[in-house]
Amino acid sequence: MAGKGRRIFATIINNAVCINFFNIIIIIFFTIFPHVATSEPRVITPFPAPKLMDLPQFQGEHKESLYWGTYRPQVYLGIRARTPQSLIGGLMWINVKDGKYKLRHVCKHEDELSTYGWTKHNGRDFGHQLLADNGINLDTKFFKYKGEHSGYGGDWALRIDAQIHESKLNEELERGAQIFFYLADEGGNVLDINMENLNAHKGSLLASGSRTDIGDWQLHLKSMDDVELHYSGFHTLNFHNLSDLVEENLASQIRRHDRVQLSDSLDDTPNVLVFQIIREFPLTTDIVLISGTGSESSRVEERVSNLTGTSLSNQLKDKEQSFDEKFEKVFNLAEKVDSESIPVGKAAIGNLLGGIGYFYGQSKIALSSILNLKEQVNILSYWPAELYTAIPSRPSFPRGFLWDEGFHQLLIWRWDIHISLDIIGHWLDLMNIDGWIPREQILGAEALSRVPEEYVPQHPTNGNPPTLLLALSDIVSGLNNNEFTATDRSKISLFLDRAFVRLEAWFQWFNTTQSGSKMNSYYWHGRDNMTMRELNPKTLSSGLDDYPRASHPSGDECHLDIRCWMFLAADCMYSIEVLLNKETKPDKNYGSTAKLLSDHDLLNQMHFDYAYGAYLDFGNHTEKVELKWREVKVGYNHTARKLVRVVMEKPELRFVPHIGYVSLFPFMAKIIPPGSPILEKQLQLISNRSLLWTNYGLRSLAKTSSLYMKWNSETESPYWRGQIWINMNYMILSALHHYSKEDGPYQDSSKALYKELRSNLIKNVVRNYKDTGFLWEQFEQDEGKGHGSHPFTGWTSLVVLIMAEAYGKI
């Protein structure tokens, strides 16, 4: 460096006749240290490689075919395009409960719908959804069509059928169905309303406008019966509170005129139009958006006719039949499950695909090592980015979660490899220069409005299980087994080739930032070692949140699950390297890393407790920790009674004696040799009713654990402390299936456990869906009842792969 500095200095002096000495020094400094000249912190600097989404396979026809969709999963029915400032559409309706009018729009548990969700959705141009709201039943069908005269992305239609159960017909609902459909332009473009048609009820045209992406467009409404129409137009750039605008308008009308109808008025330059459709039950109406209407040959009337009435009915019928045929072709369930299970499987994949969303915004990044609300942290904004992704749950988690997404893709790649690669590509393009990807994507005002403030900032020291590699490993296995066409094989290979540098950076980020103090050990960073409110500091980065870890977080921890994730990641990287004929680099020998991390003896030395007969975490731990009520100082002169953490014994480095999902990770990763006595011990843990086994699936934490079903704080109920989770049960089933095929002394017992566990899981998910109308986030252990968020059609949708016995390489 010194020699280089002298050469640069001499060059500058020779050319610096008119430059003063101070400027010379500044130039020297930034020439020798060029990275200092860019003031952008590394954490918000994009990864310096070509983006996946710039690949030709994601342009042209592919991009246009996915332009429009039901990409607003946070509302009961929302349509948008995959562009940052889209034309967006949505559905609202009114019900009456306890004498009060209730406007439905955003998915909420407190609305207490008896069921809602997509019974079928192909992820592209068709979806069928049922919404049952206390006697009002809405049947909605989405259809997209690209014709010769369509603008970019094509046209779309929405059919709404509204009916009411006779027992629910009351005075407030005698006027009939009150349905609202809105169209809004996020770019602020003015929307033109067709007053003549609205006032005279002539023609179908409701509104029109123009955009650079789709050209001129028109919105039409056709109903099989006469309907009463009202409207309101608003100007706003806050699209996350459209419900408030409608509620305020209706409330004003009720106060002034004692009627529940929109004001038939417009703000200046409205970019939001809301149409109220009123008719006695039953009601059937078709709403159509026609793009590219500016030319003389656009044939608008013909296209509207094609997307309404009998013509639309026939096309919807064809799409539904195509969905059924594809479902059976992909998953082949007819001979594997009973007829009662198949509609549940269709709803599971339909809800997963129908829940795919498009988001745009900037993540908030906290430059702090722990999540601590009292700590003053520096918040930075990530670069503006888009994300096309599936989501775990429409009412609770309508946004992207990194470790959930890998499980989602185990299903989606089998259904549509092009959608799957598009989603994975979007996630990998979110990587920063260090190889880090924020684990939770809270993009845009609509997403921000749904998330508690303390969970918004993402911490760049914290990871999340690299489950996207599970899906990629599966896809590579499919390539090796010739499961794709020649064209798809070529596209997948090009994708993997461009993705490889990002995957390497991601792997290296984990391998360096999450490594432990012991050789080949790892631990999840981000636990709060200063907490006074948590019984056991959470490990959010692991995905298992409140699963018990060492009582006192430290750099001496060794977490078993991340060690196994690193093995699976290395194994996947090696399989991609071999597939692409990549040269093995000495400092990035994935094959050797996978072999080292799967060494059974080394794993046992670090994580197997022979006294417990189980694999366990290691760390600074004591069991003598409790939550106790104490008077706690609040502010300057006040105290309040709070539950606080009380440690009654000095912790020591030891195995953490909690048996549960983490204890089974070497089994899930198939590291244990089929003839090992330790495999027998793992099977005993699985089958022991006093530990993990229930009639509904394996519980997350053994009943013998001191933290079994314990609250973690005054406000945090147990989450991963006993409840049954489908994603982990799927991985355990995959391992049982594997060992049932391996010669050895435990083959038969593995087969018996596999058969019984698979049956229990399917029966319980199907029973809950039939009883409640939902797939659930988790299931309780005593009666198997669904618990937590619903509908939860993220990884609970893996029940389809359980039905299909499709485990791939996982």
Side-chain angles (χ1 to χ4, degrees), residues 466-751:
T467 55
L468 290 178
L469 293 172
L470 295 180
L472 290 176
S473 185
D474 247 10
I475 292 168
V476 170
S477 181
L479 286 172
N480 292 331
N481 294 330
N482 294 314
E483 296 176 15
F484 298 101
T485 65
T487 301
D488 286 350
R489 183 182 181 88
S490 174
K491 290 180 178 179
I492 296 167
S493 297
L494 287 170
F495 177 90
L496 292 172
D497 189 54
R498 178 168 290 193
F500 195 73
V501 65
R502 291 178 181 269
L503 296 175
E504 281 199 310
W506 199 25
F507 183 91
Q508 292 304 320
W509 182 89
F510 274 102
N511 206 33
T512 54
T513 68
Q514 308 297 294
S515 59
S517 58
K518 294 184 178 181
M519 183 75 70
N520 303 316
S521 71
Y522 299 88
Y523 73 100
W524 297 108
H525 287 47
R527 300 185 70 208
D528 186 351
N529 61 5
M530 303 291 288
T531 182
M532 293 298 294
R533 298 293 172 85
E534 293 180 301
L535 181 60
N536 188 272
K538 293 190 297 295
T539 316
L540 294 175
S541 54
S542 73
L544 304 180
D545 295 13
D546 67 345
Y547 185 94
R549 306 284 182 167
S551 61
H552 289 66
S554 71
D556 293 317
E557 285 189 88
C558 302
H559 289 154
L560 173 61
D561 51 335
I562 188 173
R563 191 182 195 278
C564 294
W565 283 121
M566 292 306 296
F567 158 66
L568 292 170
D571 189 54
C572 175
M573 293 299 295
Y574 179 64
S575 68
I576 297 174
E577 189 177 61
V578 170
L579 177 78
L580 300 177
N581 293 315
K582 295 279 186 181
E583 182 182 351
T584 299
K585 303 171 187 175
D587 59 333
K588 297 178 182 177
N589 193 322
Y590 300 110
S592 295
T593 301
K595 185 175 181 181
L596 180 68
L597 292 175
S598 62
D599 186 297
H600 194 224
D601 291 334
L602 291 177
L603 174 67
N604 293 343
Q605 289 172 24
M606 187 174 294
H607 283 289
F608 193 77
D609 186 334
Y610 287 89
Y612 268 78
Y615 288 104
L616 301 171
D617 280 347
F618 182 87
N620 200 26
H621 183 74
T622 175
E623 283 287 280
K624 294 187 176 180
V625 181
E626 295 180 3
L627 290 177
K628 294 188 176 182
W629 291 102
R630 293 284 189 269
E631 291 292 326
V632 177
K633 187 175 180 180
V634 179
Y636 291 104
N637 300 311
H638 301 282
T639 61
R641 193 165 172 78
K642 298 284 186 181
L643 268 180
V644 299
R645 169 180 155 111
V646 177
V647 180
M648 296 166 289
E649 176 185 81
K650 184 178 179 180
E652 61 181 23
L653 289 174
R654 54 173 291 190
F655 285 117
V656 181
H658 297 285
I659 294 173
Y661 286 161
V662 165
S663 306
L664 299 178
F665 260 82
F667 177 75
M668 293 186 237
K670 308 177 182 77
I671 294 172
I672 306 168
S676 170
I678 289 180
L679 178 58
E680 182 180 28
K681 291 184 180 296
Q682 292 273 285
L683 297 176
Q684 288 170 351
L685 293 180
I686 289 170
S687 60
N688 191 330
R689 289 183 176 272
S690 298
L691 297 175
L692 303 178
W693 186 271
T694 79
N695 292 334
Y696 316 104
L698 299 182
R699 56 172 66 91
S700 46
L701 187 63
K703 293 174 71 175
T704 54
S705 169
S706 61
L707 294 183
Y708 174 72
M709 294 306 292
K710 289 281 184 71
W711 282 59
N712 199 47
S713 73
E714 193 172 344
T715 58
E716 296 173 324
S717 59
Y719 201 47
W720 291 84
R721 294 187 176 177
Q723 292 89 340
I724 297 163
W725 294 81
I726 297 300
N727 62 331
M728 291 292 101
N729 273 272
Y730 173 75
M731 291 185 71
I732 293 163
L733 264 182
S734 176
L736 285 169
H737 187 262
H738 166 78
Y739 286 112
S740 74
K741 305 294 184 183
E742 293 287 310
D743 290 336
Y746 312 112
Q747 184 178 17
D748 290 342
S749 52
S750 296
K751 184 180 294 185

Side-chain angles (χ1 to χ4, degrees), residues 14-15 55 114 140 311 362 455 465-466 479 495 513 546 649 687:
N14 290 336
N15 296 281
L55 280 168
S114 52
T140 66
S311 176
Q362 293 176 269
Y455 292 111
L479 286 172
F495 177 90
T513 68
D546 67 345
E649 176 185 81
S687 60

Side-chain angles (χ1 to χ4, degrees), residues 274-334:
V274 184
F275 299 96
Q276 182 181 15
I277 306 162
I278 303 174
R279 191 192 182 279
E280 64 183 29
F281 292 101
L283 163 68
T284 299
T285 191
D286 297 333
I287 297 170
V288 183
L289 184 118
I290 302 293
S291 61
T293 61
S295 67
E296 293 182 3
S297 61
S298 57
R299 299 185 180 181
V300 173
E301 188 174 339
E302 177 185 323
R303 289 157 63 191
V304 171
S305 179
N306 180 55
L307 291 174
T308 56
T310 302
S311 176
L312 177 60
S313 297
N314 292 334
Q315 292 178 91
L316 288 170
K317 186 177 180 180
D318 289 343
K319 285 293 180 183
E320 193 150 354
Q321 183 177 341
S322 296
F323 174 90
D324 291 339
E325 291 171 355
K326 182 172 182 177
F327 181 84
E328 182 55 30
K329 180 180 179 181
V330 172
F331 300 113
N332 191 27
L333 298 191

